[in-house]
Amino acid sequence: MSRPLPKSLNVNPFLDSWLRFDCAKRRVHLFSGKVEIGQGAMTAIAQIAAHELALSMRELDIVSGCTERAPNEGLTSGSYSVEVGGTSMRMACAQARTLLIAAASRQLATAPEHITVADGMFLVRAKPSNLSYWDVAGEVDFHQPVTGEAPFRAINADGLIGKPVPRLDLPAKLAGSGFIHDLALKDMVHARVIRPCSPKARILSVNDVAARARPGVIAVIRAGSFLAVVAKTEEGALSAAKELSVLTVWKENARLPGGSPVTEWLPALPTQDEIFEIRGADLPPVTGGRKFSATFSRPVLAHASIGPSCGLALLENGGLTVWTHSQGVYSLRDQIARVLGMSQAAVTVHHMQGAGCYGHNGADDAAFDAAFLAHALPGRPIRVQWSREDELSASPFGSAMVIKTSATLDRAGKIAEWEQEVWSGAHSQRPGSAGQPNLLATTEFEPPWPMSEPADPPFETGGGGLRNAISLYDIPRYRLKHHFVKDMPVRVSALRSLGAFANVFATESFIDELAEAAGVDPVAFRLDNLSDPRARAVVGAVADMAGWRYRDEAVGEGRARGIGFARYKGRAAYGAVIAEVVMEEGISVSKIWCAVDSGLVINSDGLTNQVEGGIIQSLSWTLKEGVRFDGARILSTNWEEYPILGFAEIPDIEVRLMNNPDEPPLGSGELAAGPTAAAVGNAVARALGVRVRDLPITRDRVMNAASL
Amino acid sequence: MISFFVNGQKVSVDVANNVRLLYVLRNHLEKKAAKFGCGLGQCGACTVLIDGNPTQSCDVSVEFAAGRSVTTLEGLSEGEVLHPLQQAFLEEQAAQCGYCTAGILMSAKGLLDCNPNPTRAEIVDALARNLCRCGAHLRVIRAVERAAKILRGETH
Ligand code: FES
Ligand code: FES
């Protein structure tokens, strides 16, 4: 059986890049280039390996995200960890098992087709032999390319795949350890970086005399407008940093949009325009239908990890070691080496777990801060801890977006044409992308390293601003217009689900508007325009879970339900969400139902956990969040200024996983974002009879819309 | 020298009076469970118990702890035996990244110590000062309910 090789295997073809048998200790060491970012990926990958090797998970160790040992699997992002990293590991393990069986067949003088494995012991015609993996692994040459041709073990109900296996990383975390923040290197010293008071501000002068004279201060390091203090203790570094920041004079250069609405400031910026005729450009124009259009928006959003970024580094004997919670250790290593003028071989980057990251946050920047300071102070292990303020203002944001949807309903009430016009900044500007380091400190140096020319991920691989700009509905004429805003007033990069959140919010809100215009139940309207059977199945399932009966869904009664649906990226998992909202003093979401089809389920509880988390995070974006600025500075720099959903605001959530074991596993961490926002928006529209098209949907916006 | 008790052990530290308790615990006493999340008293990642009361350790100076009894997450389990709260969080898989978890566990401990049979609303109330960005809230609430049951001897 020949299957296409996932990218990770094309880049790291050799079997011994993926696993190693330690026969003396009777353990298998797995190497993963994907990393744990709180999404449970390592547990899923270990489950896959254990299944394919017919071993228990207890006999496996995973080394992940270390530039010295782990395969280079690029970034841990885009819900690809199980889809690509897991499938690669599965192919590697299937081949290892096949090779081990071949070795056993020689020793047992039995044809390989009569040999199976259970818990690492070979069985001959289902009868135990005395031979195990550990007896024959030494004879196998693992330095050979993974071909993808080794047969997979069948997945059956009593096996590991699909089971709610507990997360491997939780026991340590429940004991209070397990994070990069907790790493204490011998003789470690503490650093704080004094970040510009507004984006791109430059230092005019700094008086560091008093800070340097403080007991315990080891160094004040300045390189252009990069300013940091290193001290023996963390409290020493903190108070010296505070003092320095008061005595630093900045020239501010940023021009931020102040309080004006996204729909005004974003489309007013220069854009690079592109039109994609998705289909039906050659069809005759639609005549006699009814035309509709509406404009939607989302604000700039922050990743807002609970743990601010942290990085550690040590330069010793000419080698630099860096510890980071980055999503991409290889590209980070390459850029650190480049900026510091070191060879790549002299830089080792280790991944350690941080707080959930939800995309490109400050992790790489903090790692580089530490690397730069370690390079300046050889022999000293440096720990850099970002502040809450830095995390909410100096790390990259998710871009604001404006989306104009236009459609025509034909006489039969079907959607005849659709145009989606998207204004957005970049959704990815990671270290090394398009040739520049893209690390915050390097932009503060004198002269600064330029940020790379912003670019959007190619539309073909899921896109950035255009992610999910095309829905799955059967619409004969479909056109996209992309207005790419290159020069955003704030630094933007990848935030969980990229453009999908806003595109799905817009599309699925607009679908409800069309359904209403057609006088059709929004669930029925979706099904009428949707032929993809898996899409129909999740929409049907969620309606069933919620006991959806359109006739009974009151309008304008202050309580209502709404639906949202999408297939993430148009090619990953399917998800449909129904939200129930109650209008009390504010808008409160009382219940969420969600049906998911992500193909083969590896870990049912892990998947449910990801989906629940994605729903709650999306509710927070939908109801509360937006970065606030004045004309120069970012104002939302703490949790009071940038509130997120709290325990008192969490609805009941019911998730149903559709069992689809014959389909490949599909990335699911991001699928709920858009459908949740749309379901809430649609429910609010029905509850009050007014629609809010600008996120977040706050009480004030609802009142405004109602008074128009 | 400032002396207080951490998880039942007397400790003395030689630091300035105004240093935040969080840094003293993490760096001087190597108790890493309390996490730095904001340093502003807004997120609860650093929550510990001081004389039984859930307290944000980034928000109090070490001087405040003088003579008092501080409990960190490290003080919950006894050797290898998990505290019912830890056990319940494991059984409910009540975390994603887990960064908020240590603080949440301490808030929950503070609650269950004085209210062995809390309602859901009381649990939500006790966690009002803890933020979670990953969206593990529902599992956390279920886990606290389960821990309460274990502690009451209604399940194990
Ligand atoms: S770190 Fe103490 S409340 Fe956030
Ligand atoms: S589990 Fe990640 S912040 Fe709560």
Side-chain angles (χ1 to χ4, degrees):
Chain A
M1 196 196 321
S2 179
R3 310 176 189 91
L5 289 182
K7 184 166 169 225
S8 294
L9 278 173
N10 285 321
V11 179
N12 311 276
F14 288 100
L15 189 47
D16 56 1
S17 304
W18 294 88
L19 44 74
R20 188 171 72 81
F21 278 74
D22 181 341
C23 295
K25 296 212 176 93
R26 300 172 84 89
R27 298 192 71 72
V28 180
H29 304 289
L30 305 171
F31 307 109
S32 167
K34 300 293 182 190
V35 295
E36 182 61 56
I37 51 175
Q39 83 286 39
M42 288 311 107
T43 306
I45 288 174
Q47 259 177 287
I48 291 169
H51 165 79
E52 218 40 77
L53 290 170
L55 275 175
S56 97
M57 286 175 71
R58 281 190 305 279
E59 286 155 306
L60 306 177
D61 299 315
I62 296 199
V63 175
S64 62
C66 161
T67 55
E68 265 183 343
R69 193 58 188 92
N72 180 354
E73 292 195 72
L75 294 166
T76 299
S77 68
S79 299
Y80 278 126
S81 298
V82 168
E83 201 172 320
V84 174
T87 304
S88 302
M89 186 62 82
R90 188 169 186 200
M91 287 179 170
C93 291
Q95 185 160 334
R97 176 176 39 78
T98 307
L99 292 168
L100 290 157
I101 287 178
S105 121
R106 290 189 290 276
Q107 291 210 13
L108 295 166
T110 310
E113 53 270 30
H114 300 309
I115 303 178
T116 51
V117 191
D119 283 333
M121 296 299 297
F122 294 106
L123 310 180
V124 176
R125 297 176 199 277
K127 296 223 173 59
S129 74
N130 286 326
L131 208 62
S132 73
Y133 279 167
W134 321 110
D135 302 318
V136 304
E139 295 164 23
V140 173
D141 174 15
F142 289 102
H143 193 66
Q144 53 176 287
V146 179
T147 61
E149 280 161 23
F152 284 164
R153 282 184 76 210
I155 290 172
N156 47 37
D158 49 3
L160 261 181
I161 301 291
K163 284 281 139 49
V165 171
R167 285 261 299 272
L168 300 174
D169 55 324
L170 283 197
K173 291 173 175 176
L174 289 170
S177 62
F179 294 96
I180 184 172
H181 303 75
D182 306 330
L183 180 61
L185 301 169
K186 191 169 173 299
D187 299 326
M188 180 171 83
V189 294
H190 295 266
R192 287 292 186 281
V193 181
I194 294 87
R195 295 255 102 102
C197 57
S198 62
K200 298 185 188 148
R202 311 298 294 178
I203 293 181
L204 289 175
S205 70
V206 49
N207 179 347
D208 62 3
V209 179
R212 282 180 193 277
R214 280 173 168 267
V217 167
I218 294 164
V220 172
I221 292 179
R222 184 177 163 194
S225 293
F226 173 85
L227 179 65
V229 57
V230 183
K232 284 205 179 109
T233 63
E234 190 159 20
E235 56 273 19
L238 266 168
S239 45
K242 205 182 231 172
E243 174 155 36
L244 273 172
S245 84
V246 174
L247 297 174
T248 307
V249 182
W250 298 92
K251 178 177 186 305
E252 296 190 54
N253 299 307
R255 286 219 175 158
L256 306 189
S260 77
V262 177
T263 43
E264 277 171 27
W265 67 259
L266 187 66
L269 294 169
T271 58
Q272 188 177 299
D273 302 330
E274 208 172 349
I275 294 183
F276 297 84
E277 295 290 352
I278 302 302
R279 58 180 173 257
D282 47 355
L283 292 176
V286 183
T287 52
R290 285 193 290 159
K291 289 194 189 309
F292 300 87
S293 75
T295 302
F296 300 85
S297 73
R298 69 163 251 198
V300 175
L301 292 173
H303 296 81
S305 269
I306 290 294
S309 297
C310 179
L312 292 90
L314 169 62
L315 180 71
E316 210 176 30
N317 309 323
L320 179 66
T321 310
V322 180
W323 291 265
T324 177
H325 48 114
S326 163
Q327 289 175 288
V329 288
Y330 278 88
S331 44
L332 176 60
R333 176 202 60 189
D334 296 353
Q335 298 310 316
I336 289 173
R338 171 186 178 194
V339 177
L340 298 180
M342 300 177 73
S343 73
Q344 290 180 0
V347 181
T348 303
V349 179
H350 294 281
H351 177 265
M352 284 190 73
Q353 293 191 43
C357 74
Y358 331 111
H360 178 198
N361 65 358
D364 297 284
D365 296 331
F368 181 79
D369 291 342
F372 180 74
L373 295 171
H375 193 251
L377 298 170
R380 296 229 190 233
I382 309 268
R383 177 181 188 270
V384 171
Q385 170 68 65
W386 276 28
S387 66
R388 168 53 46 205
E389 181 179 9
D390 291 342
E391 193 68 24
L392 284 174
S393 61
S395 68
F397 294 116
S399 180
M401 289 173 70
V402 170
I403 295 158
K404 186 172 171 212
T405 49
S406 318
T408 307
L409 280 185
D410 66 16
R411 288 206 184 83
K414 284 224 165 198
I415 310 165
E417 58 183 356
W418 187 289
E419 183 182 281
Q420 189 124 339
E421 195 170 359
V422 178
W423 285 261
S424 177
H427 286 270
S428 181
Q429 217 179 3
R430 293 186 185 260
S433 65
Q436 294 301 340
N438 297 334
L439 293 161
L440 182 58
T442 67
T443 67
E444 296 163 352
F445 291 165
E446 199 54 57
W449 288 72
M451 290 291 279
S452 63
E453 178 88 338
D456 221 31
F459 184 44
E460 296 69 38
T461 59
L466 292 185
R467 181 161 293 182
N468 278 80
I470 311 176
S471 63
L472 286 197
Y473 298 103
D474 313 319
I475 302 166
R477 287 165 72 98
Y478 219 119
R479 180 194 291 146
L480 303 184
K481 285 189 183 162
H482 191 198
H483 306 290
F484 182 51
V485 180
K486 269 196 173 169
D487 206 4
M488 285 290 285
V490 292
R491 178 182 175 208
V492 290
S493 190
L495 170 66
R496 195 177 193 183
S497 88
L498 312 191
F501 172 62
N503 274 309
V504 173
F505 170 68
T507 304
E508 287 289 300
S509 297
F510 197 53
I511 283 278
D512 255 46
E513 296 190 49
L514 296 177
E516 198 185 315
V520 180
D521 170 356
V523 171
F525 187 76
R526 282 173 174 77
L527 293 172
D528 287 346
N529 285 284
L530 205 49
S531 54
D532 180 322
R534 294 173 74 184
R536 295 177 62 84
V538 291
V539 170
V542 82
D544 175 57
M545 288 167 75
W548 176 275
R549 277 196 312 271
Y550 182 56
R551 301 264 162 254
D552 302 346
E553 307 285 333
V555 181
E557 300 283 312
R559 169 193 285 276
R561 304 192 295 179
I563 183 169
F565 153 78
R567 179 176 198 192
Y568 185 54
K569 286 192 243 182
R571 53 169 295 281
Y574 297 78
V577 171
I578 289 178
E580 177 183 68
V581 303
V582 182
M583 307 303 298
E584 291 164 334
E585 271 151 51
I587 304 160
S588 107
V589 176
S590 49
K591 173 93 196 202
I592 296 275
W593 297 264
C594 176
V596 174
D597 173 359
S598 48
L600 172 67
V601 174
I602 306 296
N603 186 325
S604 54
D605 188 61
L607 178 57
T608 306
N609 198 355
Q610 274 287 289
V611 173
E612 284 169 4
I615 289 170
I616 291 174
Q617 191 166 74
S618 174
L619 286 175
S620 186
W621 294 347
T622 303
L623 297 171
K624 304 191 93 117
E625 295 183 33
V627 173
R628 292 185 307 104
F629 343 87
D630 61 16
R633 297 188 182 186
I634 290 151
L635 303 176
S636 44
T637 59
N638 63 57
W639 292 120
E640 265 166 28
E641 304 288 340
Y642 193 88
I644 62 172
L645 211 66
F647 273 92
E649 299 160 299
I650 307 293
D652 235 8
I653 299 177
E654 228 177 90
V655 176
R656 184 188 292 176
L657 306 178
M658 318 282 284
N659 191 14
N660 226 336
D662 296 332
E663 299 287 344
L666 294 173
S668 308
E670 298 161 292
L671 75 91
T676 301
V680 171
N682 290 334
V684 168
R686 284 187 69 73
L688 293 177
V690 292
R691 182 172 289 279
V692 177
R693 299 191 182 87
D694 300 302
L695 295 170
I697 305 174
T698 57
R699 182 188 144 82
D700 286 355
R701 290 223 164 113
V702 171
M703 302 302 253
N704 274 343
S707 67
L708 287 179
Chain B
M1 277 292 193
I2 298 172
S3 300
F4 52 103
F5 295 87
V6 175
N7 303 331
Q9 303 258 321
K10 182 159 185 198
V11 296
S12 300
V13 284
D14 187 11
V15 294
N17 288 351
N18 63 351
V19 174
R20 306 282 105 181
L21 177 61
L22 174 66
Y23 300 113
V24 174
L25 290 171
R26 288 183 57 84
N27 300 332
H28 298 265
L29 300 170
E30 289 170 27
K31 297 281 180 252
K32 299 280 189 183
K35 298 284 180 270
F36 170 73
C38 66
L40 305 166
Q42 296 176 341
C43 76
C46 63
T47 307
V48 299
L49 301 183
I50 300 184
D51 289 342
N53 298 314
T55 307
Q56 300 184 327
S57 64
C58 75
D59 215 21
V60 293
S61 63
V62 60
E63 193 182 18
F64 176 79
R68 301 183 198 240
S69 171
V70 176
T71 311
T72 70
L73 177 54
E74 287 96 341
L76 254 56
S77 53
E78 290 183 26
E80 295 288 284
V81 183
L82 295 182
H83 185 274
L85 267 164
Q86 291 165 308
Q87 185 193 334
F89 271 62
L90 210 51
E91 284 164 359
E92 294 289 345
Q93 293 283 293
Q96 282 193 29
C97 77
Y99 197 86
C100 64
T101 312
I104 287 178
L105 282 165
M106 298 318 290
S107 294
K109 168 101 167 67
L111 169 71
L112 298 185
D113 283 350
C114 61
N115 180 356
N117 196 0
T119 62
R120 198 179 162 124
E122 286 166 338
I123 294 172
V124 164
D125 213 41
L127 299 176
R129 276 148 59 89
N130 292 90
L131 294 178
C132 171
R133 181 56 159 167
C134 295
H137 306 74
L138 288 172
R139 289 163 178 257
V140 165
I141 294 167
R142 282 202 300 271
V144 176
E145 286 168 344
R146 181 189 279 255
K149 272 196 192 144
I150 301 174
L151 283 161
R152 294 196 305 266
E154 290 167 25
T155 175
H156 51 268

